[in-house]
Amino acid sequence: MLKSPLSLGATIGILGDGQLGRMLSQAASRLGFKVVIFGPDKESPAAQVSLASKVAAYTDEAVLARLAESCDVITFEFENVPASSLDYLTGKGAVVAPSSKALRITQDRVLEKSFARDHGIGTVDFYPVDSLDDLYAALRQSGLPALLKTRREGYDGKGQVWIRSLDEAPAAYDSLNGRPSILEAKASFTREISVVAARGWDGQVKTFPIGENHHVGGILSTTLAPANVSPAVSAEAHDIAKAVLEGLDYVGVLAVELFVLDGDALLLNEIAPRVHNSGHWTQDGCWCDQFEQHIRAVAGWPLGDTSARCTIEMTNLLGADILAWPDLSAEPASRLYVYGKDDPRPGRKMGHINRIKSV
């Protein structure tokens, strides 16, 4: 628990060294904080813009101990940091936000969906799968097609496979290498939306306007926000985000991805315990963006104004898309963000561009 708001010049530690850590570090620096990055990559996007970096495995207790000593609060930028590392930091007296509880629940898709249902939030039907026999039994209940995913890790369409007939079950199971999995019934949704929200140490909650997301090949392609949704959908989405934040006793920013069904019913797809790709639009569309909001929350500062200033379409720049930077940077009413990665391999997130659609 943070006893008082961090003063100017305090040090924030960030576990994770990718583009989200980079943008968190930039936001923290603008607010007058020092940032130490902890991650395995010596030439990381986050380390490029930070005061210092510690290069080590997330389980390296000697380096974790030094991080605990040098930082006033410690946070993380992605959900695959081991929850045990957060427990170790807490045991060393560090202030950590969000907590290991939030990480432990959201790292496991079965625990995550069970948490949602326990808090009155609808999800698709789901079934734990630990063997091929489990998979056959689950398929008989879920119906076809159904989506088989690893319970842990996996992102941007990785670690998942659609099953359209029982004959495909063995190959699908083998493709995940026997890892503990979850079978999810198909959701007949009309569109996917997300809500990014924050909670402070004092329990204050603020939500950003809804974004509508479009995926290509399992990877987010564009987010349009504020989305054109009904007041009822907006209110329910914000209520769901608030229930998640409070149920996890969460401090910081998270994103909740939701399916919109016919009739505007909502089902939770996923909880991301961090700043999120679908919230990048807030950098130019809101008075306080998601990165500053996360820093404000973990630092014990008042949460910022989440009102929308304009309508933004955020487009991810994947792989060779970034090579068009001369044209992208010349576009009017747009803003280009480059992550500092060297290898523009296919599907890799190299940057994004926010385009103002209307004011």
Side-chain angles (χ1 to χ4, degrees):
M1 178 75 180
L2 194 66
K3 295 180 180 178
S4 60
L6 295 189
S7 60
L8 300 182
T11 300
I12 297 175
I14 300 176
L15 298 182
D17 53 18
Q19 67 266 16
L20 300 179
R22 180 187 181 96
M23 290 181 276
L24 283 170
S25 181
Q26 290 168 323
S29 295
R30 190 169 58 79
L31 294 179
F33 297 116
K34 300 171 185 174
V35 176
V36 178
I37 297 296
F38 182 2
D41 185 356
K42 186 179 294 186
E43 303 294 334
S44 73
Q48 293 170 14
V49 300
S50 301
L51 173 68
S53 66
K54 298 182 183 296
V55 181
Y58 294 119
T59 53
D60 189 322
E61 293 186 352
V63 182
L64 287 169
R66 292 199 293 273
L67 189 73
E69 291 175 358
S70 62
C71 296
D72 297 288
V73 69
I74 298 172
T75 188
F76 54 86
E77 64 130 18
F78 81 131
E79 61 266 50
N80 290 330
V81 171
S84 59
S85 296
L86 301 192
D87 291 333
Y88 181 83
L89 288 165
T90 302
K92 287 292 182 180
V95 178
V96 178
S99 69
S100 63
K101 171 189 173 182
L103 199 59
R104 193 168 280 109
I105 289 173
T106 56
Q107 282 178 339
D108 185 310
R109 290 184 171 92
V110 171
L111 295 181
E112 179 181 80
K113 285 185 165 55
S114 298
F115 164 85
R117 290 196 169 183
D118 288 346
H119 288 80
I121 302 167
T123 74
V124 296
D125 290 335
F126 63 94
Y127 310 88
V129 172
D130 294 308
S131 67
L132 184 57
D133 287 342
D134 286 346
L135 178 56
Y136 278 124
L139 286 167
R140 283 191 286 270
Q141 296 181 73
S142 69
L144 294 165
L147 186 60
L148 182 66
K149 299 179 179 179
T150 55
R151 283 180 64 157
R152 302 175 65 86
E153 301 181 343
Y155 59 93
D156 289 344
K158 299 178 178 67
Q160 58 183 265
V161 57
W162 281 100
I163 301 175
R164 293 175 172 81
S165 72
L166 289 178
D167 292 341
E168 295 177 357
Y173 182 77
D174 290 343
S175 73
L176 301 186
N177 299 313
R179 286 177 288 176
S181 302
I182 179 174
L183 186 75
E184 296 179 358
K186 179 178 171 60
S188 298
F189 59 94
T190 59
R191 53 181 168 166
E192 182 181 313
I193 62 173
S194 59
V195 54
V196 176
R199 183 172 179 267
W201 289 101
D202 60 358
Q204 181 189 23
V205 171
K206 285 198 174 183
T207 55
F208 288 92
I210 307 299
E212 180 170 350
N213 304 319
H214 295 275
H215 293 77
V216 176
I219 302 176
L220 181 66
S221 176
T222 62
T223 296
L224 180 67
N228 183 19
V229 297
S230 69
V233 166
S234 180
E236 184 179 355
H238 288 131
D239 285 346
I240 288 172
K242 183 177 181 181
V244 169
L245 286 164
E246 292 177 345
L248 293 174
D249 194 20
Y250 194 93
V251 174
V253 164
L254 58 67
V256 178
E257 298 178 358
L258 300 162
F259 294 132
V260 183
L261 310 183
D262 283 334
D264 283 349
L266 297 181
L267 293 180
L268 182 138
N269 176 33
E270 187 172 280
I271 302 167
R274 53 175 171 80
V275 288
H276 194 253
N277 200 167
S278 69
H280 291 352
W281 73 273
T282 63
Q283 290 172 298
D284 300 292
C286 293
W287 294 105
C288 176
D289 68 53
Q290 65 166 343
F291 300 101
E292 178 181 329
Q293 192 76 299
H294 184 80
I295 297 299
R296 284 173 169 268
V298 301
W301 283 29
L303 297 183
D305 185 353
T306 57
S307 302
R309 299 191 295 171
C310 55
T311 300
I312 295 281
E313 183 177 69
M314 185 285 300
T315 300
N316 270 327
L317 302 175
L318 307 177
D321 292 347
I322 198 66
L323 302 180
W325 65 264
D327 293 331
L328 293 169
S329 63
E331 286 188 20
S334 67
R335 199 171 183 194
L336 176 65
Y337 296 83
V338 180
Y339 300 155
K341 300 178 182 179
D342 293 330
D343 180 17
R345 59 180 181 266
R348 190 181 195 197
K349 293 174 181 173
M350 302 297 294
H352 66 272
I353 186 168
N354 284 338
R355 296 181 172 99
I356 296 176
K357 308 303 287 185
S358 63
V359 178

